[in-house]
């Protein structure tokens, strides 16, 4: 009983999460040319307009994972996993795809790419990477990074990440992203040359802003609360699910013991023997069926985990807004105080306490020329300040507008994806029930023939 | 009552349902469907617990046999009375397969057996014990059994005092140990086979008992973990406007499946666990029966040995040997017949218990399937509705 998906491909089954052998494992990312997309960041490297590449449809897949050994920065031997990224362009006419690029990347390079995107696109909810280390494991799953199942799930997660970036109207145009897919050697140097690491907002600055900002846009405050709730509830759900999976595993596996005992017992039974033996076989089938069932559920858990990590991406956007807003407020405050100082100097009244005022009182008045000079300096500063405030204001508003547009896009994506994931969970349960019915019906037949 | 007793000649216990032997109707006085033996036996119809702390039990019986004064009886018994009855039956019929008694106390380590209700489980097992005796073609006419079912408490006490005393019984045991070794040496072929079967059967049924207990335990833990699983989806729905319906739907499905798990668990504990456990106890019984048979034969063998080695009065010995040869033949025949009967019953009971277990599981999965499928249908309908709205 399969529900007919009204929309092709991405609606019912998010292609990124299918196993490698599956025909759809490389999703087509149709890159739309957006004439009036949101303005890119001011950095010259932020956009790229290589027409040939982006007008065609491309397919990206992370098709293989390989264990490698090499020497790290400290010249010590290390083992790591490398992933093969293949890019194909699809000719419109006949749908044939041609392999245009193929290169190997390791997880740390993905991280580098993402950190770069975070700096240059602070108003975008940047897709998250799959987890670095296995979390929410239930006992059978290994927490080892080298474990083949973990590597496989990570491969799928990395592919998903690339597809998300490639299908984002703004991120897909980034040159560094393009180079990530096409230029194997030297890519790290190229990224580092952008100097993005210098532009990263310090944690301390961000924390300070969060506490002290006075008038952040209410929507961002709400968004922050939402992302905290989302993170908390999904974590909780994943933990409970892992425990439930553990128990379910136990129930199924213990039935496997029947198989062996029935078989031994059947040796001494004349009439019951056959029935016992074949029933035992079905018990074995039942016990081993749980492995596939739980593996499928692991994919479901990964879909939820992606949104768990998206919560952090949402918070990053909120933090940037708070930083900008705080910056703006500080600039406005600074301007106001300079204006006041100027006024006081001009009118000769001292309303505010200032060091200059005190020293003047103590050491005598300054000369009119000195006062004029100071007023002039202040007026210049005030002018500059007003310009800066204007541009900061503009920047801030642009940021809010663009960020909110991306957040709306994100919300729709999230609702679609989560609905799909939940439906797929229901489908998994149905499949599990059907298997159960079949096995036990077979077993019952064997028992009744004893 | 008479009409409910069938006239089939087949061993009666085949109709004894594995589950619900007295469990369906804790109320008193419901007649047990009739036995198949020619003459209608005395039927213990119900064993009721009166007092949860003491083991005061009420035993109701009905009969249509002429030898009794009335056709219905209601007496009070304690666990030790059951123990006494079993002992007497073993004494009178050493090579018959007497039904096993449930344990007096909870066996340590199995605290969560059978719905955590030990008293109830034991009551059902005691009911079964009495009915098995009633169904047995020979045991049903046993005098002690009749007294057990009909005598008032004081009558029973005085009757009890009449048999061979405790001391003589202990004496028997000491002799038994000494002679059982000899009995094994000369055991006839068919009883060697029987013994072999008993040994292996005992091993396997014990394992099955452990496995079944473990399954129950795992299911219970699964049930417990599921408690939080549904509600967390509800919690989530509080922060997601667009996903409220689907999340609540999933939560409801999970809760329904959880209820179905509970039903499955209780089905398991009613259908499978008591039956398997009874046969664990039976396997111990059987070993005892084998020993007693061997003992009887050993008695004969020792007399024969005495005769051949010319120890003692030949005339006396020959007489004794004659008597003992009869005894051995009786014992062997009784055991052989009962063995066949027991095996047949065992097959039926085991088949029935496991078929029921399979049925419980099928039912569980069918319920869960229906729950999830109806959820999916409602979601698809919603989806199509939304789609057609978009198209308008």
């Amino acid at each position: 009983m399969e529900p007919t998906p009204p929309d092709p491909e991405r609606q019912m089954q998010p292609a990124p999460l299918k196993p490698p052998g599956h025909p759809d494992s490389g999703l087509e990312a149709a890159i739309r040319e957006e004439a009036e997309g949101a303005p890119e960041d001011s950095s010259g490297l932020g956009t790229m307009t290589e027409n040939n590449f982006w007008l065609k449809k491309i397919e990206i897949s992370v098709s293989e994972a390989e264990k490698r050994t090499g020497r790290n920065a400290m010249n010590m031997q290390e083992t790591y996993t490398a992933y093969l990224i293949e890019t194909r362009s699809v000719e419109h006419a006949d749908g044939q795809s041609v392999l245009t690029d193929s290169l190997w990347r390791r997880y740390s390079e993905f991280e580098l790419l993402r950190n770069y995107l975070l700096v240059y696109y602070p108003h975008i909810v940047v897709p998250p990477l799959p987890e670095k280390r296995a979390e929410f494991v239930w006992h059978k799953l290994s927490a080892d990074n080298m474990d083949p199942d973990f590597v496989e799930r990570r491969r799928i997660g990395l592919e998903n990440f690339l597809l998300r970036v490639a299908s984002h109207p703004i991120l897909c145009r980034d040159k560094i992203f393009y180079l990530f897919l096409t230029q194997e050697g030297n890519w790290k140097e190229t990224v580092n040359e952008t100097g993005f690491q210098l532009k990263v907002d310090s944690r301390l600055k961000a924390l300070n802003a969060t506490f002290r900002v006075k008038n952040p846009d209410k929507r961002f405050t709400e968004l922050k609360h939402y992302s905290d709730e989302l993170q908390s509830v999904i974590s909780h759900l994943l933990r409970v699910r892992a425990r439930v999976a553990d128990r379910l595993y136990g129930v199924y596996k213990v039935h496997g013991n029947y198989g062996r005992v029935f078989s031994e017992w059947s040796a001494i039974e004349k009439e019951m023997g056959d029935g016992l033996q074949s029933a035992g076989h079905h018990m074995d089938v039942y016990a081993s069926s749980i492995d596939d069932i739980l593996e499928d559920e692991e994919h479901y858990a990964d879909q939820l985990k992606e949104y768990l990590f998206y919560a952090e991406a949402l918070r990053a956007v909120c933090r940037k807004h708070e930083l900008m807003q705080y910056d703006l407020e500080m600039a406005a405050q600074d301007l106001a105080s300079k204006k006041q100082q100027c006024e006081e100097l001009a009118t000769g009244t001292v309303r505010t306490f200032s060091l200059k005022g005190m020293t003047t009182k103590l050491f005598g008045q300054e000369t009119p020329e000195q006062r004029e000079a100071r007023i002039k300096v202040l007026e210049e500063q005030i002018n500059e300040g007003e310009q800066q405030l204007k541009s900061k204001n503009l920047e801030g508003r642009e940021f809010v507008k663009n960020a909110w547009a991306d957040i709306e896009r994100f919300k729709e994506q999230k609702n679609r994806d989560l609905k799909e994931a939940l439906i797929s969970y229901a489908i998994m349960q149905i499949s599990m029930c059907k298997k159960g019915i079949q096995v036990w019906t077979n077993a019952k037949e064997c028992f009744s023939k004893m | 009552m008479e009409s409910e007793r069938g006239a089939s000649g087949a061993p009666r216990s085949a109709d004894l349902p594995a589950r619900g032997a007295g469990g369906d109707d804790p109320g008193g006085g419901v007649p047990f469907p009739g036995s198949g033996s020619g003459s209608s036996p005395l039927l213990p119809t119900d064993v009721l617990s009166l007092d949860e702390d003491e083991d005061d039990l009420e035993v109701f019986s009905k009969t249509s046999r002429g030898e009794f004064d009335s056709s219905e009886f209601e007496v009070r018994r304690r666990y030790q009375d059951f123990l006494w009855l079993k002992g007497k039956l073993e004494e009178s019929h050493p090579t018959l397969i007497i039904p096993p008694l449930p344990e007096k106390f909870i066996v340590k380590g199995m605290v969560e057996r059978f719905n955590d209700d030990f008293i109830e489980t034991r009551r059902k097992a005691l009911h079964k014990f009495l009915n098995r005796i009633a169904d047995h073609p020979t045991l049903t006419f046993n005098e002690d059994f009749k007294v057990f079912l009909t005598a008032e408490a004081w009558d029973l006490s005085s009757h009890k005092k009449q048999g061979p005393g405790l001391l003589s019984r202990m004496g028997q045991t000491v002799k038994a140990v000494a002679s059982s070794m000899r009995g094994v040496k000369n055991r006839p072929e068919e009883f060697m086979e029987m013994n072999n079967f008993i040994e292996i059967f005992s091993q396997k049924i014990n394992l099955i008992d452990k496995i079944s207990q473990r399954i129950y335990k795992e299911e219970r833990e699964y049930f417990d973990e599921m408690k939080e699983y549904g509600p967390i989806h509800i919690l989530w729905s509080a922060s997601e406007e667009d996903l409220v319906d689907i999340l609540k739907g999933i939560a409801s499905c999970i809760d329904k499946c959880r209820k179905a798990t509970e039903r499955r668990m209780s089905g398991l504990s009613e259908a499978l666990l008591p039956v398997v456990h009874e046969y664990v106890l039976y396997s111990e019984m059987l070993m005892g029966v084998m020993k007693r048979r061997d003992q009887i034969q050993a008695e004969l063998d020792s007399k024969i040995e005495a005769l051949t080695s010319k120890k003692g009065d030949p005339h006396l010995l020959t007489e004794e040997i004659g008597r003992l040869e009869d005894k051995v033949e009786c014992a062997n025949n009784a055991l052989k017949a009962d063995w066949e009967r027991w095996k047949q019953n065992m097959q039926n009971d085991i088949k029935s218990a496991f078929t029921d277990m399979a049925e419980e599981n099928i039912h569980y999965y069918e319920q869960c399937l229906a729950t999830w499928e109806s959820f999916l249908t409602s979601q698809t309908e919603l989806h199509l509705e939304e789609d057609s709205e978009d198209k308008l």
Side-chain angles (χ1 to χ4, degrees), chain A residues 226 258 264 286 414 444, chain B residues 204 212 221 240 359 365:
Chain A
Y226 168 75
Y258 275 141
E264 291 167 359
Y286 181 67
K414 166 199 62 122
K444 182 179 170 189
Chain B
K204 302 311 160 195
S212 310
E221 292 187 338
E240 300 284 348
E359 185 58 53
Y365 282 112

Side-chain angles (χ1 to χ4, degrees), chain B residues 38-159:
Chain B
S39 51
S40 11
L42 182 58
L43 290 172
T45 56
D46 218 337
V47 176
L48 268 194
S49 246
L50 281 181
D51 194 332
E52 296 239 334
D53 292 326
E54 307 295 322
D55 53 358
D56 236 356
L57 295 137
E58 209 159 80
V59 180
F60 293 87
S61 328
K62 284 182 161 61
T63 185
S64 68
R65 292 209 314 237
E67 67 220 66
F68 295 97
D69 299 330
S70 76
S71 64
E72 285 187 28
F73 297 91
E74 181 190 319
V75 294
R76 283 196 181 191
R77 289 292 165 297
R78 306 188 59 122
Y79 182 82
Q80 64 201 46
D81 299 328
F82 284 82
L83 210 52
W84 166 85
L85 174 63
K86 175 155 170 276
K88 296 296 289 179
L89 291 175
E90 283 176 340
E91 231 180 87
S92 324
H93 310 277
T95 58
L96 284 188
I97 301 171
I98 314 294
L101 262 188
E103 292 100 332
K104 178 161 192 174
F105 298 114
I106 299 173
V107 175
K108 201 158 191 257
M110 310 266 212
V111 185
E112 277 193 272
R113 260 152 72 143
F114 311 168
N115 286 341
D116 303 310
D117 194 352
F118 175 71
I119 301 270
E120 177 61 14
T121 312
R122 197 182 66 171
R123 183 192 70 75
K124 289 186 192 167
L126 290 172
H127 178 105
K128 200 135 191 234
F129 168 74
L130 292 179
N131 274 287
R132 285 214 192 265
I133 298 173
D135 286 335
H136 194 289
T138 312
L139 296 176
T140 191
F141 296 105
N142 180 284
E143 275 308 313
D144 295 309
F145 181 52
K146 290 184 205 169
V147 169
F148 178 92
L149 287 179
T150 59
E152 293 300 331
W154 52 90
D155 284 339
L156 182 64
S157 305
S158 61
H159 178 88

Side-chain angles (χ1 to χ4, degrees), chain A residues 15 30 34 43 57 62 85-86 88 125 134 137 158 165 167 198 232-233 241 264 328 335 352 354 364 419:
Chain A
E34 295 207 330
S43 153
K57 281 192 183 174
V62 177
I85 305 178
E86 293 178 321
R88 290 178 168 74
V125 183
V137 287
L158 291 174
V165 175
S167 56
L198 301 168
S232 152
V233 83
R241 191 211 70 88
E264 291 167 359
L328 183 69
L335 183 66
T352 55
S354 77
K419 264 199 191 138

